Amino acid sequence: QVQLVESGGGLVQIGGSLRLSCEASRRLFRISDMGWYRQAPGKERELVATISNGGSTDYADSVKGRFTISRDNVKNTVDLQMYSLKAEDTAVYYCNARGYFTVESPYNYWGQGTRVTVSS
């Protein structure tokens, strides 16, 4: 069974920082493009940041300059370091792993989500 285990969510004040971490199985991690998405109450899930298997990154405009995504290919983890948090960053954050087992076998897995609440 595929598992993406997230950690690091919680309550933080506006302007604060928080680090999210997601661990995957080694077999899955080494072939996957990884990402973080979020879903705020009443809104659709949206991309926050992605990092490819080769290390290329992409960010939503709303988090550029404040968030950093990184991956550790030894620990099989992908982290999201968040700085200068705003109230609008409040959401459930989901870890994502996607790729291809074979050309004909794509996959797209999600973690269970970790809640981030930014409050004054």
Side-chain angles (χ1 to χ4, degrees):
Q1 184 176 355
V2 175
Q3 284 190 327
L4 296 174
V5 181
E6 298 134 331
S7 60
L11 175 65
V12 63
Q13 289 187 328
I14 292 174
S17 61
L18 206 60
R19 188 178 184 91
L20 306 182
S21 186
C22 172
E23 183 176 0
S25 65
R26 180 178 180 277
R27 173 180 175 267
L28 180 69
F29 188 83
R30 65 185 182 90
I31 64 172
S32 296
D33 295 333
M34 304 295 296
W36 286 95
Y37 291 71
R38 67 187 181 188
Q39 187 166 16
K43 295 187 177 181
E44 294 186 351
R45 191 173 298 187
E46 64 176 4
L47 179 147
V48 177
T50 60
I51 184 165
S52 72
N53 191 26
S56 298
T57 59
D58 189 30
Y59 295 91
D61 288 342
S62 60
V63 306
K64 283 181 180 177
R66 300 189 298 121
F67 291 11
T68 301
I69 190 171
S70 60
R71 63 189 294 159
D72 187 323
N73 293 330
V74 174
K75 295 180 179 179
N76 303 319
T77 57
V78 57
D79 289 354
L80 184 69
Q81 178 66 57
M82 305 184 290
Y83 295 105
S84 301
L85 283 160
K86 305 176 181 180
E88 51 264 44
D89 294 319
T90 295
V92 177
Y93 284 70
Y94 296 90
C95 179
N96 175 261
R98 62 182 60 187
Y100 291 83
F101 291 124
T102 69
V103 173
E104 297 177 349
S105 299
Y107 62 87
N108 185 25
Y109 298 127
W110 296 93
Q112 80 284 358
T114 185
R115 185 174 301 275
V116 173
T117 303
V118 185
S119 175
S120 57

